[in-house]
Amino acid sequence: MTTQVRAVCPHDCPDTCALLVTVEDGVATSVKGDPDHPTTAGVLCTKVARYTERTYHVDRLLYPLRRIGKKGEGKFERISWNEALDTIAKRMKEISSRAPQAILPYSYCGTMGLVQGESMSSRFFHHIGASLLDRTICASAGVTGYKYTVGASIGTDLEQFQHAKLILIWGGNPIASNLHFWTRALEAKRRGATLIAIDPYRSLTAEKCDRHVALLPGTDGALALGMMHVLIAEHLIDDDYIAAYTVGFDQLKQRASEWPPERAAAICGITTAEIVDLARLYGQTAKNGEPVAIRANYGLQRVRGGGMAVRNIACLPALIGAWRHAAGGMQLSASGSFPINRSALQRPDLLKEPPRTINMTTIGEDLLRPSSPEFGPQVEAIIVYNSNPLAIAPDSSKVEQGFAREDLFTVVLEHFQTDTVDYADIVLPATTQLEHVDAHAAYGHLYMMANNAAIAPLGEAKANTEVFRLLAQRMGFDDPCFKESDDALARQAFDANDARAVHFDWEALKQKGWQKLAMPDAPFARGGFHTPSGKCEFYSARMLEDGLDPLPTHIPPWESVASNPDLAAKYPLAMISPPARNFLNSTFVNVTSLRSSEGEPHLDIHPHDSNARGIVDGAMVRIFNDRGAFIAKARVTPKARVGLVVGLSVWWKKLAQDGKNANEVTSSSLTDMGRAPTFYDTLVQVEAVAS
């Protein structure tokens, strides 16, 4: 018998595609994009188009395992679910009876699902009183800067971008990471729009844009200030919009006057003309009454001043009145459009008292910290799900040291034997998206989504929710919330009384697969910003209260000539590590066909920098700083601007030649706001490896 099941791509990507899964006699035979879903339009990326290959991969974890070797060796023996759960519950009971905060969950967006992500798991850890996890690894700096300015993660609807006359693609490579936006941008180009990429690296996207502004990493805030200077000085602004719907223009005008394009250009490592021309095109297009839009992505905020940089950029649409148009304004994330009922899903009311919070970005340092009055109890147990910290967390050598502690009880829920699984005491096989129920929001479009289970779980795999239900039962938790089914959880995912959800009904959503939120086409055409003032805040009193500059400014990278000249002399090359096209963070790295397309870890380096180091194309090179080193094959190319090297990531360490990846050299220092990582705020040196 052949059936077709509606599903959703669960991965950390703004597209959140609607899927159609073909099932023949209980086996998923193909995964395709839903042609009727307005954003997916029947098209999937190369990764998810091969989802059955991942689901039925020969290396799928199908049974619970117990470690029998040293941590890191990856040696395990099969055990029963009863034995695995009893072992975990016994350890959790013992620790929680005396120091519940010594237990730490570690998770992120291995699935973006509201049910299999943070629902039953949060209830479980809240009831215990475990440490909270500050989930900052991806976007919190930029989101914080955007919210200070606009008030919420709300912006231009994806479905409007094809009507724009000018699109600035700022800090992203949508061909690799936001395919369905790129489709809209290409349609806009066919209609006469100009596409401009602002990115240190000449990515696949930048190659296909009309212009490429290749600024230095961590200088986006300075570029935005230089643009503001030109816009205001040449009166390419919308006086009426500014007067009606913004606050702090006079202060902003004074600040922008301090940033002539010559100053900004010197910091950005580009020409003055590039800034002037960009600002004039941006402002004049809007003056002509045509929609101009910015699609900002998270690459630009992974530096010390990343939050401020996004804030600066978020001021630009209000300066020129771009929000008047449905196809104008800016999108960083659409996630704030969704009325997600997180309190119902996660039940923070189960907490008896506020526990400490540990930042997932600094996990290496925190696992190595002893008990102290300041820190609290040493972390004695960590439960990892929906994440692979050994591969994706910064300052990787410290992360490895922390997970290598023999006294750290580690449980990992996973599909495959990742770098992190190698350090687990107990491994629990998790279901994939085709094997469980989930509800989804999105951060790149405006559709609520339903994922139906297409096939039965393979082997003895269990959904995250079921694992935590079973653990709660063994722990003796008697609150009825621990017995709720996945469908019961999904029914609570969205607030049905919120007008945006249009009387959300879970059963109807499962049948249709998707439902668009009731959002205005131009959310800020007449103000209505979600800030305290209700206006776009060029001057933010909240930022001042939080100890930040209330006006746009530039904050140089931690690792730069401006901040640390001695370090810059020792390690003169900036390094960024954006996603490889065939990987998504560390997901899909073990899928043979996708890894074969990537080949092996590469480092792109400009001919000027390679010649100075005697490095030829195809040579193996060592990339290093005081934190560590890794090996990659050099690709000598002008795609990397002078002074920059690019290591497309994130490889599993065990699948790299030297057992290392780019996070050996990244820092666990945090951003200016949002407590986020500074992956792209990294200085290195590169040398040829002797053959």
Side-chain angles (χ1 to χ4, degrees), residues 385-442:
Y385 54 104
N386 300 335
S387 190
N388 182 12
L390 264 294
I392 60 92
D395 203 352
S396 195
S397 64
K398 287 185 179 177
V399 179
E400 187 173 326
Q401 291 172 46
F403 274 91
R405 281 175 40 206
E406 281 293 333
D407 62 337
L408 177 69
F409 182 63
T410 302
V411 179
V412 181
L413 286 64
E414 253 298 354
H415 304 134
F416 300 101
Q417 192 169 333
T418 63
D419 293 330
T420 303
V421 167
D422 286 344
Y423 288 80
D425 294 290
I426 300 291
V427 183
L428 302 178
T431 48
T432 68
Q433 188 76 343
L434 303 190
E435 301 159 78
H436 56 229
V437 167
D438 216 330
H440 287 257

Side-chain angles (χ1 to χ4, degrees), residues 148-150 242-247 527-537:
Y148 276 132
T149 311
V150 175
I242 290 169
Y245 305 128
T246 74
V247 293
F529 292 91
H530 294 247
T531 56
S533 65
K535 300 181 178 184
C536 180
E537 298 195 349

Side-chain angles (χ1 to χ4, degrees), residues 106 136-138 302 359-366 368 387-403 575 577 627-628 650 653 661-671 675-682:
Y106 193 99
T136 63
I137 203 80
C138 180
R302 293 186 176 125
N359 193 322
M360 69 184 305
T361 299
T362 58
I363 186 63
E365 296 171 15
D366 290 331
L368 295 171
S387 190
N388 182 12
L390 264 294
I392 60 92
D395 203 352
S396 195
S397 64
K398 287 185 179 177
V399 179
E400 187 173 326
Q401 291 172 46
F403 274 91
M575 190 193 86
S577 47
R627 287 180 289 273
V650 177
K653 293 189 194 182
N661 69 16
N663 282 320
E664 295 294 324
V665 299
T666 57
S667 168
S668 61
S669 296
L670 301 179
T671 52
R675 307 167 307 282
T678 53
F679 288 114
Y680 299 172
D681 193 330
T682 300

